[in-house]
């Protein structure tokens, strides 16, 4: 499943030059190793701070980027909820 995700991200990144990927410290587990190797300047790792990745995605949008946040749903939603 993670290989499919990575292949899709690579295809989307090739088509949309303004797409960026944000993740929370699980690059290898989530299958982002190849994406990071090819598009390192478009891959941002926020460490164990899912809430920061979600907040930063708004800034990327303002700057004309298409952010895709890759992570575990329970942490992305739960940690962001803590900030709210």
């Amino acid at each position: 499943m993670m290989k499919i995700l990575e292949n899709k991200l690579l295809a989307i990144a090739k088509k949309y030059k303004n797409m960026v990927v944000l993740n929370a410290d699980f690059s290898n587990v989530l299958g982002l190793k190849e994406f990071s190797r090819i598009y390192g300047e478009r891959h941002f790792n926020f460490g164990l701070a899912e809430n920061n990745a979600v907040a930063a995605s708004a800034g990327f949008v303002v700057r004309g980027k298409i952010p895709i946040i890759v992570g575990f749903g329970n942490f992305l939603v739960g940690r962001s909820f803590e900030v709210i």
Side-chain angles (χ1 to χ4, degrees):
M1 185 190 257
M2 295 305 144
K3 190 63 180 167
I4 293 170
L5 170 66
E6 184 171 47
N7 289 339
K8 292 296 181 184
L9 288 174
L10 289 169
I12 294 168
K14 188 174 184 179
K15 184 175 180 180
Y16 298 99
K17 305 296 183 200
N18 59 338
M19 186 204 84
V20 295
V21 172
L22 293 69
N23 82 298
D25 208 29
F26 291 104
S27 297
N28 294 336
V29 175
L30 296 170
L32 298 175
K33 187 181 281 188
E34 188 68 12
F35 183 89
S36 184
R37 186 183 69 74
I38 296 171
Y39 297 109
E41 74 284 354
R42 293 164 57 184
H43 178 226
F44 299 89
N45 186 337
F46 284 83
L48 292 175
E50 291 85 354
N51 50 343
N52 290 341
V54 171
S57 69
F60 279 103
V61 169
V62 169
R63 300 302 298 168
K65 304 294 183 188
I66 302 170
I68 296 179
I69 306 171
V70 179
F72 299 110
N74 58 330
F75 294 120
L76 287 172
V77 175
R79 297 286 296 156
S80 298
F81 229 173
E82 291 175 359
V83 175
I84 295 170

